[in-house]
Amino acid sequence: MDLNYTEEELAFRDEVRAFLKSELPTSISDKVKTGKRLTKEDMDTWHAILNRRGWLAESWPVEHGGTGWNAVQQQIFDDETCAAGAPRIVPFGLKMLAPVLMKYGSQEQKDYYLPRILDGSDWWCQGYSEPGAGSDLASLKTKAVRGGDHYIVNGQKTWTTLGQYANKIFCLVRTSTEGKPQQGISFLLIDMDTPGITVRPIILLEGTHEVNEVFFDDVKVPVENLVGEENMGWTYAKYLLTHERTNIANVGANKVSLAHLKHIGRQQKVRGRPLIEDPVFSARLAQIEMELDAMATTNLRLLSSPDSVANAGPMSSMLKIKGTEIRQALNDLTRRALGPYAMPFVSEALDTGYNEEPIGPGYAAPVSQEYFNNRKITIYGGSNEIQRGIITKMMMGL
Amino acid sequence: MDFTHTEDRTMLKDMVARFIADNYPLEDRNKAAEGSDGFSRDMWARFAELGLIGALFSEEDGGFGGAGFDINVLFEELGRGLVVEPFIASALLGGSVLAQLGNDDQKALITDVVAGSTLLALAHGEPDSYYDLAHVETTAMSDGDGFVLNGRKAVVLNGDSADYLVVTARAAGGTWDEDGISAFLVPAGTGGVEIRGYPTIDGQHAAEIVLDNVRLDASALLGESGKAYPAVEMAVARANVALVSEAIGLMEVCRDMTLEYLRTRKQFGVPIGKFQALQHRMATVLTEIEQARSAAINAAGRLDLPRAEREKAISSAKALAGRIGRLVSEEAIQMHGGIAMTWEYGLAHYAKRLIMIDHQFGDVDYHTARFVEFSRQAA
Ligand SMILES: Cc1cc2nc3c(=O)[nH]c(=O)nc-3n(C[C@H](O)[C@H](O)[C@H](O)COP(=O)(O)OP(=O)(O)OC[C@H]3O[C@@H](n4cnc5c(N)ncnc54)[C@H](O)[C@@H]3O)c2cc1C
């Protein structure tokens, strides 16, 4: 074992830094650093810049247009982009669907969809959850009935993140009611422009439009949009979920969040002294930092193991639990660090173009809404209760 | 000892509960919270008519209550209703300081406060004061017969709708001295008072206030010059009894909604309440709420004890309300799953208020340290 970066890794880090310095627009990184909302255009712009450099698909193999980077390189890239204030790449196409297509898709599907994910032609969203099928995903009811060369889809998906921007949705649909519920699920790729699809916003607790309901009313989907085999979708769905989990763990973002909290701790004064010198606050901060340092290594241990191990074992569930709990602890302590200034909430202040004087310190505006919004991370991607269930099931063989 | 409320208080509690159940739906509350004042003037007038503002003042000050348990009983119900009208700002903060320090002329205003036609706010906290009550940098300089005030006040609860601000300013001493702080009764329109109101994340309203050479007559001074701190501390103690009691009401709503959801939401063919992983956590939530309730009772019952005993009970209750409030709101959301994350479902509005109570007049860490400080003094 060796925890130090090699010469090559350091050189790679410098290359990434130089790239970010010259290519990441400050108009975008300023927003990320100050917690402002990104527009779709901001996200598209950064996606295109990364693609131009060939660094968009950090976890894809070279044959499909990926970087072919190893785990350490990916982590370096992740750390550096987060630290520089780069937006998080919307994961649905790049990090969730793509691995499924590479492993289970037809040659035509790979040839058609993978390049479109890279060049931004397609914005994918995830159609897994339904009102009645959350944790018990296999009980999903949205139905696809085959008739000749197409399926007719009826039903409803919900919680569809950024579905308002998407032109494609990958869906789990029921194609059979025989046998166990898991045995009748198929994985379909659906064009959002198809007649019969309606998207309705769901407003989240801090007042933002981030998720949607998607309704399917006799939606016609060509059979060639089926991924893999009919009724085998559950296998693909689970494979995708392990990738979703690892992505949610988000080590790079946690590191930035910790650094930001320290910055706030140095600015914020209590009885004239920086808050970070307060013994109780600094102990709380230290506990999170210790956890994060260990978890970052867990993450690298997982990512550097062979794919079969990483995706079959309980480690991705452990990472999801730790990564999200650390993030929530950071959000919580950041909120507390603000004192009374955690309360003011002028939503427009987080939009582009707002230029009134901030209320309280400049870093205060996004903090509490982020704390509340990030309650979601222990719920989605398979709730942390479900992850704990997966871990014990695997380890105990019960 | 007796752990039942008096008949009067039981009647007050039932009356408020019924009124809120019949007249205060969450949608109306949210609409009022989004309005320019952050509350409904009409609803405020109706609360006044019911005598709810008067219930927070003693008889000698023009009310018909004002004891710790009056605050406790009323605010549990206001919490259940997620009420946004300015009870704390006007009656408990501004009102308490005025009642304690005001001369007869000044106290005449309390009649209008009780009637709901005049609103008060306490402009005390400052941009750098964090939760420290004695931290006052705003200055009060003598000027002929009167005074000139300069400084800034931060996150002044309902400061944007008050008719009069009770403003604290330093007449003598250093930034953190309890001695040397004066209080003034300042009409909101006074020259040099600049008020910037805004919403808070839990549906309240607050304001940043700049005092720029604000000239006041001698008659604006409340009590003796430099001697206002004990009255402010008492007013904040009363507000904290209100906040911890409000928190109980909020926790009860979160608890009830979650219990109901655990019984009715089915996954894997059974109500999710069948999963022991959730049962044990719900049991913890229920147990902790009773702890918070007892601590709130302790604080309400010890409000009139000597300072150190009073402040220890207040800090204890506020620290527990902060810790348990967070537990209850986070667990309620988590055990609901996605539905709790929506604006529409409603739970989140209670959860947001519950979390923000920890940011008013001292959080868990502040009150734990304060408890230690007063324990040392008492020993
Ligand atoms: C902001 C947000 C964005 C989302 N984005 C997407 C998206 O883009 N696409 C998509 O398909 N889905 C998305 N989801 C949905 C998410 O995956 C589900 O919310 C999640 O799977 C939980 O389902 P549920 O909300 O129905 O809760 P439920 O499944 O009803 O769970 C309620 C509670 O019961 C617990 N529970 C359930 N079963 C068990 C058990 N066996 N043992 C112990 N505890 C249990 C849960 O952990 C939870 O605490 C999103 C959700 C949110 C909140």
Side-chain angles (χ1 to χ4, degrees):
Chain A
M1 291 223 183
D2 182 359
L3 294 176
N4 298 306
Y5 287 131
T6 62
E7 287 293 321
E8 296 86 72
E9 285 162 349
L10 286 173
F12 174 73
R13 188 182 67 185
D14 291 342
E15 195 187 349
V16 173
R17 281 187 183 167
F19 162 76
L20 289 165
K21 202 160 172 225
S22 70
E23 299 301 319
L24 173 61
T26 48
S27 61
I28 293 179
S29 59
D30 283 351
K31 285 190 197 177
V32 172
K33 286 178 184 168
T34 54
K36 293 205 169 178
R37 297 184 187 112
L38 295 170
T39 60
K40 177 171 190 290
E41 202 191 346
D42 293 329
M43 296 188 242
D44 285 339
T45 301
W46 180 233
H47 184 109
I49 292 170
L50 282 178
N51 189 40
R52 222 176 298 133
R53 182 67 176 78
W55 284 359
L56 179 62
E58 46 170 323
S59 55
W60 293 16
V62 179
E63 52 169 315
H64 292 301
T67 59
W69 288 337
N70 64 27
V72 176
Q73 286 173 304
Q74 287 181 45
Q75 191 57 53
I76 289 173
F77 184 72
D78 191 34
D79 285 350
E80 294 300 325
T81 46
C82 285
R88 218 171 140 238
I89 290 296
V90 179
F92 302 108
L94 205 71
K95 297 195 170 175
M96 295 192 205
L97 178 62
V100 170
L101 290 179
M102 286 175 204
K103 190 159 169 153
Y104 300 106
S106 66
Q107 195 56 47
E108 293 76 42
Q109 285 170 340
K110 288 182 215 176
D111 291 345
Y112 181 71
Y113 289 112
L114 295 177
R116 291 174 62 89
I117 290 175
L118 290 179
D119 71 16
S121 305
D122 290 335
W123 183 305
W124 286 93
C125 63
Q126 180 183 22
Y128 273 32
S129 306
E130 298 180 4
S135 297
D136 184 12
L137 185 58
S139 70
L140 60 94
K141 292 205 173 70
T142 297
K143 212 165 67 175
V145 179
R146 176 133 185 203
D149 60 355
H150 59 261
Y151 290 96
I152 300 290
V153 179
N154 277 290
Q156 183 199 340
K157 294 293 172 184
T158 190
W159 307 119
T160 321
T161 299
L162 300 185
Q164 70 268 37
Y165 298 152
N167 65 325
K168 305 269 184 194
I169 181 168
F170 54 86
C171 280
L172 296 181
V173 293
R174 181 150 306 286
T175 38
S176 165
T177 48
E178 275 162 41
K180 291 208 299 183
Q182 287 84 348
Q183 289 164 349
I185 292 170
S186 298
F187 197 110
L188 272 189
L189 309 175
I190 302 179
D191 202 317
M192 294 286 278
D193 293 331
T194 323
I197 295 183
T198 315
V199 179
R200 275 219 301 257
I202 299 175
I203 302 303
L204 289 187
L205 75 182
E206 5 71 82
T208 52
H209 176 196
E210 180 180 312
V211 297
N212 303 270
E213 297 178 290
V214 183
F215 297 88
F216 298 84
D217 182 15
D218 285 337
V219 175
K220 221 169 147 177
V221 181
V223 285
E224 62 260 29
N225 287 16
L226 176 75
V227 173
E229 289 174 49
E230 196 174 88
N231 294 331
M232 287 298 288
W234 187 248
T235 307
Y236 321 145
K238 282 199 304 186
Y239 180 71
L240 182 147
L241 278 174
T242 56
H243 284 268
E244 180 176 3
R245 268 169 222 151
T246 323
N247 186 49
I248 292 173
N250 226 337
V251 177
N254 277 341
K255 288 181 184 169
V256 175
S257 183
L258 176 72
H260 188 57
L261 175 53
K262 287 184 179 172
H263 169 75
I264 290 177
R266 284 189 288 268
Q267 306 298 309
Q268 198 76 35
K269 298 282 193 304
V270 176
R271 277 196 163 244
R273 306 290 314 157
L275 176 63
I276 204 158
E277 292 175 12
D278 176 84
V280 176
F281 178 83
S282 57
R284 290 191 189 280
L285 186 66
Q287 279 162 355
I288 301 176
E289 184 164 359
M290 294 182 226
E291 292 281 342
L292 178 54
D293 193 33
M295 184 256 177
T297 295
T298 311
N299 186 52
L300 279 174
R301 287 201 290 133
L302 176 77
L303 288 177
S304 24
S305 59
D307 188 56
S308 55
V309 178
N311 289 310
M315 284 271 271
S316 77
S317 295
M318 294 179 182
L319 260 183
K320 197 257 170 178
I321 292 172
K322 267 294 156 193
T324 53
E325 288 182 356
I326 288 172
R327 186 54 181 275
Q328 289 184 341
L330 284 163
N331 288 150
D332 175 61
L333 195 56
T334 309
R335 161 178 73 70
R336 283 148 58 136
L338 297 186
Y341 277 123
M343 296 188 74
F345 183 55
V346 178
S347 187
E348 307 83 79
L350 301 180
D351 289 330
T352 311
Y354 181 88
N355 43 28
E356 282 179 44
E357 205 192 313
I359 295 161
Y363 45 72
V367 169
S368 287
Q369 59 97 38
E370 188 176 334
Y371 161 81
F372 285 112
N373 181 273
N374 268 344
R375 301 316 305 168
K376 71 188 174 192
I377 63 183
T378 45
I379 296 172
Y380 69 25
S383 73
N384 285 21
E385 289 76 25
I386 293 301
Q387 304 307 327
R388 289 189 158 87
I390 292 172
I391 294 168
T392 41
K393 204 164 156 190
M394 281 184 179
M395 306 297 274
M396 290 179 167
L398 287 172
Chain B
M1 286 207 188
D2 177 6
F3 289 100
T4 55
H5 284 305
T6 61
E7 205 174 309
D8 284 353
R9 291 198 182 113
T10 308
M11 275 167 60
L12 173 73
K13 187 177 169 70
D14 293 346
M15 186 258 288
V16 180
R18 210 169 323 115
F19 179 81
I20 286 173
D22 293 345
N23 299 286
Y24 208 87
L26 184 60
E27 307 85 75
D28 290 5
R29 179 268 187 194
N30 283 343
K31 213 178 290 156
E34 283 172 14
S36 60
D37 289 325
F39 64 91
S40 153
R41 298 241 173 207
D42 176 53
M43 191 50 74
W44 184 239
R46 292 173 74 186
F47 283 138
E49 235 168 78
L50 291 174
L52 304 191
I53 308 172
L56 298 169
F57 288 90
S58 69
E59 271 174 49
E60 67 198 73
D61 289 329
F64 25 85
F69 286 117
D70 296 314
I71 302 173
N72 178 240
V73 160
L74 177 58
F75 273 88
E76 263 190 44
E77 295 309 322
L78 297 180
R80 291 193 72 93
L82 203 59
V83 169
V84 284
E85 278 64 31
F87 284 96
I88 293 182
S90 193
L92 288 178
L93 291 167
S96 298
V97 175
L98 179 60
Q100 290 175 86
L101 298 180
N103 58 34
D104 288 347
D105 282 350
Q106 292 164 329
K107 282 174 72 171
L109 205 56
I110 293 179
T111 315
D112 298 337
V113 172
V114 167
S117 53
T118 290
L119 290 171
L120 305 179
L122 176 65
H124 177 64
E126 302 190 351
D128 288 325
S129 62
Y130 213 60
Y131 298 121
D132 193 347
L133 269 191
H135 182 129
V136 175
E137 291 181 89
T138 297
T139 54
M141 310 283 264
S142 292
D143 177 46
D145 270 358
F147 303 91
V148 180
L149 271 47
N150 276 293
R152 285 171 171 266
K153 295 291 174 178
V155 201
V156 176
L157 194 60
N158 298 112
D160 53 346
S161 51
D163 302 297
Y164 291 87
L165 299 167
V166 174
V167 179
T168 55
R170 188 162 288 289
T175 303
W176 297 289
D177 291 344
E178 291 175 4
D179 208 29
I181 299 170
S182 298
F184 301 90
L185 188 62
V186 182
T190 306
V193 178
E194 189 198 308
I195 299 173
R196 180 184 180 196
Y198 49 79
T200 63
I201 197 155
D202 57 343
Q204 320 281 305
H205 254 231
E208 298 300 287
I209 299 180
V210 179
L211 304 159
D212 183 15
N213 282 319
V214 178
R215 287 179 190 285
L216 301 172
D217 288 345
S219 64
L221 181 67
L222 290 166
E224 261 181 83
S225 177
K227 300 288 174 210
Y229 182 79
V232 171
E233 188 180 81
M234 185 66 191
V236 169
R238 292 164 63 79
N240 271 329
V241 170
L243 290 171
V244 299
S245 307
E246 182 185 356
I248 302 301
L250 294 159
M251 289 179 202
E252 286 177 347
V253 176
C254 293
R255 173 198 69 192
D256 293 347
M257 290 181 86
T258 308
L259 282 173
E260 176 65 15
Y261 200 74
L262 291 177
R263 279 190 211 107
T264 50
R265 168 70 171 173
K266 284 194 177 154
Q267 288 289 277
F268 303 99
V270 295
I272 54 174
K274 289 269 183 205
F275 299 123
Q276 203 165 44
L278 301 188
Q279 287 173 351
H280 283 194
R281 281 160 57 185
M282 195 66 216
T284 301
V285 164
L286 299 174
T287 308
E288 294 292 339
I289 291 176
E290 294 313 314
Q291 284 292 92
R293 188 194 309 283
S294 293
I297 289 171
N298 287 345
R302 292 174 189 160
L303 195 54
D304 296 324
L305 294 188
R307 183 184 181 200
E309 285 168 74
R310 177 191 76 209
E311 291 300 319
K312 269 178 70 185
I314 296 290
S315 284
S316 180
K318 192 64 173 44
L320 261 69
R323 176 179 68 76
I324 296 166
R326 179 182 161 209
L327 174 88
V328 172
S329 45
E330 291 183 352
E331 287 290 63
I333 292 174
Q334 182 67 25
M335 288 194 271
H336 268 85
I339 188 83
M341 291 296 299
T342 65
W343 183 270
E344 196 182 343
Y345 180 70
L347 174 74
H349 301 287
Y350 297 87
K352 284 188 285 185
R353 176 72 193 123
L354 202 39
I355 292 289
M356 284 301 131
I357 280 181
D358 198 38
H359 291 271
Q360 291 185 283
F361 301 108
D363 66 1
V364 174
D365 291 343
Y366 169 82
H367 280 291
T368 306
R370 193 170 162 84
F371 184 90
V372 172
E373 201 181 300
F374 280 102
S375 300
R376 287 198 182 121
Q377 278 185 25

